[in-house]
Amino acid sequence: MEEVLRFLHKTGLFNITWQQGVMLLVGVGFIYLAIRKKMEPYELLPIGIGIILGNLPLTRLMNYSTEIQNSGILGVIFHFGLYFHNILPPLVFLCLGAMTDFGPLIANPRVLLLGAAAQVGIYATFWGALLLGFDIREAASIGIIGGADGPTTIFTSAQLAPHILGITAVAAYTYMALVPLIQPPIMRLLTTRRERSIVMKQLRPVSQTEKIVFPVLACVVIIILVPLSAPLIGMFMVGNLLRESGVVPNLVKVAQNELMSIVTIFLMLCLGAWMSAENVMHWRTLLILGLGLVAFACGTAGGIIFAKIMNLFSKSKVNPLIGSAGVSAVPMAARISQIMGQKENPRNFLLMHAMGPNVAGVIGSAVAAGIFLSLLK
């Protein structure tokens, strides 16, 4: 009997805490949202599984040691892929670049301003976090959530405030998944029915030459101005140039599919596993989640309001709904602009118009990350 009791005390049943139990339920909740509600399943499903794995007692999956035999597989991936070398987020940007069409942005360059305006959520929340007692590096990591860009949030937090990396990253991906719930009320609040019904002119065709020149030129200009944005902007433009060149279809296919899938599995599992009860169950965690939501809401509002301001000085009217797509949640935010526009006017086709500020938002959040790193690293 004594041997049996000794064995049982070495199992998870005798070592699990109520805090871990709560986090296990959180993991189940993420899995439910991914499978049942189809909310960003490629992100939320592996994050949910990771949360469960990270909170099962005595697994040592997130252990890291210089002696590899004493390390857990997720701990090795987390420390080498994020904590020490931070290679996974730039790889995600490479894959995103291979999926991105800059055509709508090139055809209507003024929407770049909407992507820039939507980054107001980042800077407003940065100052808000400072006022609430977070240090300047933590405030920058929290503010970047407002870009609604998971890889950029991870890239920034890993270098400035790695101790809150997991919660900032999960907040960014969670709010990306909740775009259909968060954005529509803000969009309705800040626009009139008449504004939501504005039909925009069809975009002009964009030549292949323009699409090839744009990533090269944007890469050079942005990185010269903000050098520490190079890992994200550089890889993003490399992926896009592969796509638009038309001469390396196999590389584009790998970046869009196999590489993106591999990186996503490792990245999301590690983020979920980091969310152990000891890392998450603090009042500061709830405050970070709240600030992240405020950042995302402010970014959405900033894009809409700036679109309304543009209409005061422009003959060619902009539907303010596309301003909400200035956050980096690609392409979810653009789809919401399309859905909201068609509800008011069935002749409204805003998706391609909204993709312009949506792509600009990706660039804007990466530039914001580079600015924070330049000033604080």
Side-chain angles (χ1 to χ4, degrees):
M1 179 60 72
E2 185 177 340
E3 286 77 11
V4 172
L5 289 175
R6 189 181 300 115
F7 169 76
L8 289 176
H9 278 285
K10 292 183 179 180
T11 66
L13 289 173
F14 277 77
N15 289 275
I16 193 167
T17 65
W18 70 267
Q19 292 95 336
Q20 289 171 320
V22 170
M23 292 308 299
L24 291 176
L25 292 177
V26 171
V28 170
F30 273 68
I31 293 172
Y32 173 81
L33 291 174
I35 297 175
R36 192 73 175 180
K37 300 298 183 180
K38 302 293 190 298
M39 285 186 169
E40 295 303 311
Y42 285 95
E43 285 84 27
L44 294 192
L45 182 60
I47 286 177
I49 298 170
I51 291 173
I52 291 174
L53 290 174
N55 284 280
L56 292 173
L58 308 181
T59 62
R60 302 180 183 178
L61 285 172
M62 283 295 284
N63 280 14
Y64 176 75
S65 171
T66 53
E67 298 177 357
I68 195 69
Q69 66 269 23
N70 295 326
S71 301
I73 180 171
L74 295 182
V76 172
I77 296 170
F78 179 84
H79 281 81
F80 279 93
L82 296 173
Y83 198 89
F84 290 148
H85 302 294
N86 210 2
I87 61 174
L88 294 181
L91 286 178
V92 173
F93 262 69
L94 171 68
C95 300
L96 289 175
M99 300 176 184
T100 298
D101 180 7
F102 280 122
L105 179 59
I106 298 170
N108 189 9
R110 63 178 177 161
V111 299
L112 185 65
L113 299 175
L114 298 179
Q119 307 313 309
V120 68
I122 292 177
Y123 302 107
T125 306
F126 166 74
W127 290 107
L130 285 177
L131 292 174
L132 289 173
F134 290 93
D135 69 42
I136 193 167
R137 290 169 169 254
E138 292 172 334
S141 301
I142 295 167
I144 211 73
I145 299 172
D149 190 331
T152 304
T153 302
I154 295 167
F155 184 78
T156 307
S157 295
Q159 297 185 65
L160 296 182
H163 55 288
I164 61 170
L165 166 61
I167 193 61
T168 55
V170 170
Y173 277 107
T174 300
Y175 295 140
M176 286 171 63
L178 294 178
V179 162
L181 300 179
I182 297 171
Q183 285 199 321
I186 300 171
M187 296 161 81
R188 284 191 292 267
L189 178 66
L190 296 177
T191 58
T192 64
R193 174 169 292 184
R194 183 177 179 181
E195 288 173 327
R196 295 194 294 272
S197 300
I198 293 174
V199 177
M200 296 180 65
K201 293 180 180 180
Q202 186 174 354
L203 295 171
R204 70 170 179 84
V206 177
S207 69
Q208 190 70 13
T209 301
E210 289 178 288
K211 290 187 176 183
I212 291 173
V213 170
F214 181 85
V216 177
L217 184 61
C219 180
V220 172
V221 171
I222 294 171
I223 293 176
I224 284 177
L225 293 175
V226 189
L228 291 187
S229 68
L232 299 181
I233 292 295
M235 296 300 278
F236 188 56
M237 298 306 173
V238 166
N240 188 254
L241 186 59
L242 293 178
R243 168 196 168 101
E244 301 300 349
S245 68
V247 295
V248 285
N250 289 340
L251 295 183
V252 175
K253 178 179 176 294
V254 169
Q256 291 178 337
N257 298 287
E258 290 84 357
L259 181 58
M260 186 61 163
S261 298
I262 291 169
V263 173
T264 298
I265 289 172
F266 288 142
L267 184 58
M268 298 301 115
L269 276 176
C270 288
L271 290 178
W274 183 92
M275 291 186 66
S276 63
E278 62 181 345
N279 287 334
V280 172
M281 300 293 277
H282 306 287
W283 68 269
R284 280 165 60 94
T285 298
L286 297 177
L287 191 54
I288 290 170
L289 289 172
L291 285 168
L293 179 58
V294 170
F296 186 68
C298 287
T300 300
I304 294 172
I305 292 171
F306 194 82
K308 292 163 70 80
I309 294 172
M310 286 176 62
N311 281 340
L312 297 176
F313 306 97
S314 175
K315 292 181 180 179
S316 178
K317 298 299 182 184
V318 172
N319 190 313
L321 293 177
I322 72 169
S324 66
V327 296
S328 305
V330 180
M332 295 80 74
R335 288 179 187 153
I336 296 303
S337 298
Q338 165 74 8
I339 292 168
M340 294 290 290
Q342 285 219 311
K343 281 183 179 179
E344 301 297 344
N345 184 350
R347 296 185 299 110
N348 229 348
F349 296 95
L350 297 175
L351 183 60
M352 292 310 295
H353 294 284
M355 283 304 298
N358 211 184
V359 172
V362 176
I363 297 173
S365 63
V367 169
I371 292 172
F372 281 140
L373 292 173
S374 299
L375 295 175
L376 304 176
K377 190 176 177 182

